[in-house]
Amino acid sequence: MSTQEKQAITVIATIKVKPEHVEQVKSEMVKLTQASQAEQGAIQYNIHQDNEDSSNFITYEVWENNESLEQHGKSAHFQNFVKATDGMIDNFVIKQTTLIA
């Protein structure tokens, strides 16, 4: 097993929601967060909403390792989120990072 597989992974996702769908996507994000926080391997999972533009969201996630993150992507609640918000999101950018200091 490589060092990266053993190391915690931080995910920062920026999500731009179509203005007419902000409340519905926000509701789905809350459901996703609650389920994700209970996942094995989830150290932290939070969603933030931009104070100046309510259609912008940021997720901040910390996972024990790559395996935990991969399982999250396959989870029923994540797949349900993807289906429930189909066509409602303009842009979804995911960055995986590793703590260096």
Side-chain angles (χ1 to χ4, degrees), residues 63-100:
W63 298 93
E64 286 181 3
N65 51 40
N66 278 329
E67 184 180 340
S68 298
L69 177 57
E70 288 174 12
Q71 290 304 312
H72 168 66
K74 296 174 185 176
S75 68
H77 53 270
F78 185 80
Q79 295 303 316
N80 288 341
F81 170 78
V82 171
K83 288 177 189 171
T85 60
D86 185 42
M88 298 180 191
I89 295 174
D90 275 334
N91 196 24
F92 198 135
V93 178
I94 300 170
K95 299 286 184 181
Q96 291 185 25
T97 67
T98 301
L99 182 66
I100 59 170

Side-chain angles (χ1 to χ4, degrees), residues 42-78:
I43 297 170
Q44 185 174 355
Y45 196 103
N46 301 106
I47 294 181
H48 302 265
Q49 187 173 25
D50 189 316
N51 290 337
E52 294 180 15
D53 182 350
S54 63
S55 67
N56 286 324
F57 295 87
I58 297 171
T59 69
Y60 183 85
E61 312 166 27
V62 182
W63 298 93
E64 286 181 3
N65 51 40
N66 278 329
E67 184 180 340
S68 298
L69 177 57
E70 288 174 12
Q71 290 304 312
H72 168 66
K74 296 174 185 176
S75 68
H77 53 270
F78 185 80

Side-chain angles (χ1 to χ4, degrees), residues 3-60:
T3 302
Q4 189 172 14
E5 289 173 330
K6 295 178 187 177
Q7 202 167 17
I9 301 295
T10 301
V11 175
I12 301 169
T14 55
I15 304 157
K16 177 68 173 175
V17 177
K18 293 178 180 177
E20 65 272 21
H21 297 295
V22 168
E23 290 307 313
Q24 186 173 355
V25 173
K26 183 177 177 178
S27 175
E28 293 298 329
M29 291 175 116
V30 169
K31 291 179 202 175
L32 174 64
T33 298
Q34 291 168 341
S36 298
Q37 288 172 339
E39 280 186 68
Q40 183 174 351
I43 297 170
Q44 185 174 355
Y45 196 103
N46 301 106
I47 294 181
H48 302 265
Q49 187 173 25
D50 189 316
N51 290 337
E52 294 180 15
D53 182 350
S54 63
S55 67
N56 286 324
F57 295 87
I58 297 171
T59 69
Y60 183 85

